[in-house]
Amino acid sequence: MAGFWTGAAALATAGRRGRRWPKLLMRSVALWTVKHVPHYSRRYLVVSRTLCSAGYDSNEKTFDKILIANRGEIACRVIKTCKKMGIKTVAIHSDVDASSVHVKMADEAVCVGPAPTSKSYLNMNAIMDAVRSTRAQAVHPGYGFLSENKEFAKRLAAEDVIFIGPDTHAIQAMGDKIESKLLAKKAKVNTIPGFDGVVKDADEAVRIAREIGYPVMIKASAGGGGKGMRIAWDDEETRDGFRFSSQEAASSFGDDRLLIEKFIDNPRHIEIQVLGDKHGNALWLNERECSIQRRNQKVVEEAPSIFLDSETRRAMGEQAVALAKAVNYSSAGTVEFLVDSKKNFYFLEMNTRLQVEHPVTECITGLDLVQEMIRVAKGYPLRHKQADIPINGWAVECRVYAEDPYKSFGLPSVGRLSQYEEPIHLPGVRVDSGIQPGSDISIYYDPMISKLITYGSDRTEALKRMEDALDSYVIRGVTHNIALLREVIINSRFIEGDINTKFLSDVYPDGFKGHPLTETERNQFLAVASSLFVASQLRAQHFQDHESSRVPIVKPQVASWELSVKLHDEIHTVVVSSSGPTFSVEVDGSKLNVTSTWNLASPLLSVNVDGTQRTIQVAEGQEICVIEAMKMQNSMTAGKTGKVKSVHCKAGDTVGEGDLLVELE
């Protein structure tokens, strides 16, 4: 089959800092829309580009209006299901989010404060005012912000507004790592060996660590998201870990209590999705493999896990349900486990909310988890039995971040999306996002751009679809982590399923450096870049000939172009000759034929190199400024990929021929 290749195609005359911009090589697969019927025949499930879910019964009454106490992609995600269910929605937003996608999607919108989260999305008083003024009957908190805040749930209940999530008892019990571990033990859930009380001081921390045996994990009792966590391998690291973790816990959660437990070296992070109702029913909806992480935060997730067998899956699911029932859990929630190489599993924590990675579970089960949460909140019993829950196919999710993956696997990048195209034209692809071209990635909020999900009949197909989707994802204006995501899913260890939570640091001990090109890939890349350059020159010449057609000019025919192309720090001599849409290219003694439609206006270009199909991305052509002359506006665009070094004019200036306007580097 053909293959797809993404690369910021370097013009033959312009070399960029090499190792970062040639992206990735992949093989493609035939893609088609998948429709399937699960193990139960009551509902027909469709895996689409946007949502994997069962249909909705329009005769089932829930709520007239729901306020979504969140922003971005999760707010958009909840609004989509509400629209499907015929429920009106209210969006809240900070002042800088006034033009955000979730605000435009909702039926109503209320500003709850300025940009800082403490003054807007965490501002309970303002949100409660929004609930009252819009007369919303229920609130969906999404994830993060107030989603696991028992005080918020109590305030809603006091005004007869339904919190679409578990009750305050479950939130409190599972939100405290010490209490949740004790409850897990009581419910006969496997727990990590450790100290169940609150560690008083550094001396006690050392004593406990010695009793448990090194290495140990020091963690914040009220923590989450990797904050307040330290691994200690000896007494000195335990003392330092106690000090730093308690300080970080106090600043992040207002609670400096710590616990210590045995550190499971090289574990997998596998979690079980659970769903409970207010009638004592609870289900486990299979597992999600979430081991690819950086700084204790997930990057790539999939469902099911390639590692679990049916017996281990059932044991984990049954223990997760036992814990949910122990706290009368009623909503969607997630029980997280660490799993060692021998498939021993240990309770880590329970998240009493919708998870970021919930779409992969929806894809393999056919359930819409937001829809189920709304039904449960209204008081309906679950519609399904455990035997009804299938595993149909395979789903993979990549978290696309505005981050520089070459710095600590991802340091945040801020800016405006000058160009943005999601690959939803491809079959088996779903994109959950809350942005559009022109959206700002702000310093105030999480830098996640979207969640990219692909579905296939098996893991191989899902991963190949993910490769194609990443290759076809156009993001301009901010640095992003697609290159890292792309390398992870084609890595041989990942494909074989040999993964753990230390995968990134093990595979890239010196940090991520980009895709190392083979000699064949290098030659193909040089050939495509050179052909693209010549195609652009021929197009320019065509326009010049057209403009000067009134005064014919005889120009010599150019048989070939000899180019010097810089890749990394090396200069390559490339000879290109053209014959219609095909270019014959000689690179370092190799001859290649490159064919395309050469639609240079498109950011994505399909190119055939000696029978192998590639997809390249052209970053050139972004509008830099607009000059008005004789009441005509003329757009000046970038001739090559680069950064704006300086701007020598401002809006309204009068400029003359030869004036320097913008410098690129």
Side-chain angles (χ1 to χ4, degrees), residues 311-322:
E311 182 178 346
T312 307
R313 175 179 295 114
R314 184 182 305 107
M316 293 176 69
E318 290 174 351
Q319 288 195 19
V321 164

Side-chain angles (χ1 to χ4, degrees), residues 166-219:
D167 62 25
T168 55
H169 166 67
I171 294 174
Q172 179 173 339
M174 292 296 101
D176 186 294
K177 286 186 170 59
I178 294 174
E179 185 177 353
S180 64
K181 188 173 180 180
L182 292 173
L183 283 168
K185 278 188 173 181
K186 189 175 180 180
K188 295 183 170 31
V189 177
N190 300 347
T191 57
I192 300 172
F195 179 67
D196 296 330
V198 177
V199 184
K200 297 176 183 177
D201 52 36
D203 289 337
E204 186 178 39
V206 169
R207 179 181 61 78
I208 293 169
R210 288 175 177 175
E211 290 175 358
I212 296 172
Y214 287 110
V216 297
M217 173 71 82
I218 303 169
K219 58 203 303 188

Side-chain angles (χ1 to χ4, degrees), residues 409 484 487-488 491 503-514:
F409 300 112
L484 173 62
E487 280 299 293
V488 168
N491 181 273
F503 177 87
L504 290 179
S505 58
D506 287 347
V507 174
Y508 310 106
D510 300 320
F512 179 63
K513 305 297 183 183

Side-chain angles (χ1 to χ4, degrees), residues 73 143 292-301 356-357 397-405 409-414 417 435 441 445-452 470 473 475 478-485:
E73 68 86 12
Y143 54 74
I292 307 300
Q293 305 179 0
R294 50 100 174 90
R295 299 188 295 278
N296 294 309
Q297 292 182 325
K298 302 161 189 172
V299 179
V300 178
E301 303 103 347
V356 176
E357 58 272 20
E397 174 178 297
C398 286
R399 299 192 188 187
V400 180
Y401 282 98
E403 292 180 338
D404 186 346
F409 300 112
L411 293 183
S413 168
V414 297
L417 293 168
I435 58 173
I441 304 299
Y445 311 118
D446 187 271
M448 188 167 71
I449 294 173
S450 73
K451 301 180 314 198
L452 177 63
L470 288 168
Y473 207 146
I475 302 173
V478 296
T479 304
H480 54 76
N481 68 332
I482 283 181
L484 173 62
L485 297 171

Side-chain angles (χ1 to χ4, degrees), residues 355-529:
Q355 291 280 93
V356 176
E357 58 272 20
H358 75 273
V360 293
T361 295
E362 293 183 327
C363 285
I364 68 166
T365 63
L367 299 180
D368 180 338
L369 292 181
V370 174
Q371 176 182 326
E372 298 301 326
M373 293 177 75
I374 293 172
R375 292 187 69 260
V376 167
K378 185 61 177 176
Y380 290 107
L382 298 181
R383 298 179 291 174
H384 312 294
K385 303 296 183 184
Q386 191 63 57
D388 294 336
I389 305 303
I391 297 181
N392 279 341
W394 211 284
V396 180
E397 174 178 297
C398 286
R399 299 192 188 187
V400 180
Y401 282 98
E403 292 180 338
D404 186 346
Y406 304 97
K407 298 176 181 177
S408 301
F409 300 112
L411 293 183
S413 168
V414 297
R416 177 166 295 175
L417 293 168
S418 57
Q419 192 171 14
Y420 182 74
E421 295 181 15
E422 296 173 348
I424 55 175
H425 61 285
L426 301 174
V429 173
R430 164 179 168 176
V431 181
D432 282 16
S433 69
I435 58 173
Q436 60 190 359
S439 291
D440 287 315
I441 304 299
S442 168
I443 61 172
Y444 298 106
Y445 311 118
D446 187 271
M448 188 167 71
I449 294 173
S450 73
K451 301 180 314 198
L452 177 63
I453 306 103
T454 56
Y455 174 87
S457 58
D458 54 27
R459 188 171 188 258
T460 299
E461 184 173 60
L463 288 176
K464 287 182 177 178
R465 288 182 169 182
M466 180 59 75
E467 294 171 16
D468 191 22
L470 288 168
D471 282 349
S472 302
Y473 207 146
V474 179
I475 302 173
R476 303 283 183 264
V478 296
T479 304
H480 54 76
N481 68 332
I482 283 181
L484 173 62
L485 297 171
R486 186 65 170 67
E487 280 299 293
V488 168
I489 65 168
I490 67 169
N491 181 273
S492 58
R493 272 188 56 182
F494 180 83
I495 292 172
E496 293 165 5
D498 178 17
I499 59 178
N500 56 53
T501 56
K502 294 170 59 180
F503 177 87
L504 290 179
S505 58
D506 287 347
V507 174
Y508 310 106
D510 300 320
F512 179 63
K513 305 297 183 183
H515 178 70
L517 293 173
T518 65
E519 183 179 351
T520 299
E521 292 171 351
R522 182 202 66 190
N523 289 344
Q524 291 180 342
F525 188 77
L526 291 169
V528 171

Side-chain angles (χ1 to χ4, degrees), residues 165-380:
D167 62 25
T168 55
H169 166 67
I171 294 174
Q172 179 173 339
M174 292 296 101
D176 186 294
K177 286 186 170 59
I178 294 174
E179 185 177 353
S180 64
K181 188 173 180 180
L182 292 173
L183 283 168
K185 278 188 173 181
K186 189 175 180 180
K188 295 183 170 31
V189 177
N190 300 347
T191 57
I192 300 172
F195 179 67
D196 296 330
V198 177
V199 184
K200 297 176 183 177
D201 52 36
D203 289 337
E204 186 178 39
V206 169
R207 179 181 61 78
I208 293 169
R210 288 175 177 175
E211 290 175 358
I212 296 172
Y214 287 110
V216 297
M217 173 71 82
I218 303 169
K219 58 203 303 188
S221 176
K227 295 182 175 66
M229 295 175 62
R230 294 289 189 282
I231 300 169
W233 294 82
D234 54 37
D235 291 355
E236 183 180 355
E237 290 186 358
T238 299
R239 292 183 184 279
D240 289 341
F242 179 88
R243 178 162 57 92
F244 290 126
S245 291
S246 59
Q247 291 172 355
E248 193 170 302
S251 62
S252 297
F253 314 111
D255 184 344
D256 65 356
R257 293 175 304 147
L258 301 177
L259 60 86
I260 298 180
E261 60 190 19
K262 180 71 175 176
F263 174 64
I264 309 299
D265 200 13
N266 298 323
R268 288 173 178 264
H269 185 135
I270 301 177
E271 59 192 28
I272 299 290
Q273 176 72 58
V274 295
L275 184 65
D277 63 22
K278 300 178 186 297
H279 305 276
N281 304 307
L283 304 171
W284 50 275
L285 307 181
N286 304 311
E287 79 280 3
R288 295 186 289 257
E289 172 76 69
C290 306
S291 297
I292 307 300
Q293 305 179 0
R294 50 100 174 90
R295 299 188 295 278
N296 294 309
Q297 292 182 325
K298 302 161 189 172
V299 179
V300 178
E301 303 103 347
E302 59 183 308
S305 168
I306 193 174
F307 185 63
L308 296 191
D309 53 58
S310 58
E311 182 178 346
T312 307
R313 175 179 295 114
R314 184 182 305 107
M316 293 176 69
E318 290 174 351
Q319 288 195 19
V321 164
L323 180 60
K325 288 186 174 181
V327 292
N328 297 317
Y329 196 85
S330 59
S331 191
T334 298
V335 181
E336 301 191 347
F337 293 94
L338 291 181
V339 185
D340 68 19
S341 60
K342 296 181 180 179
K343 297 182 182 176
N344 299 309
F345 58 90
Y346 306 95
F347 171 71
L348 183 62
E349 63 181 350
M350 183 175 188
N351 292 303
T352 56
R353 54 170 167 78
L354 193 65
Q355 291 280 93
V356 176
E357 58 272 20
H358 75 273
V360 293
T361 295
E362 293 183 327
C363 285
I364 68 166
T365 63
L367 299 180
D368 180 338
L369 292 181
V370 174
Q371 176 182 326
E372 298 301 326
M373 293 177 75
I374 293 172
R375 292 187 69 260
V376 167
K378 185 61 177 176
Y380 290 107

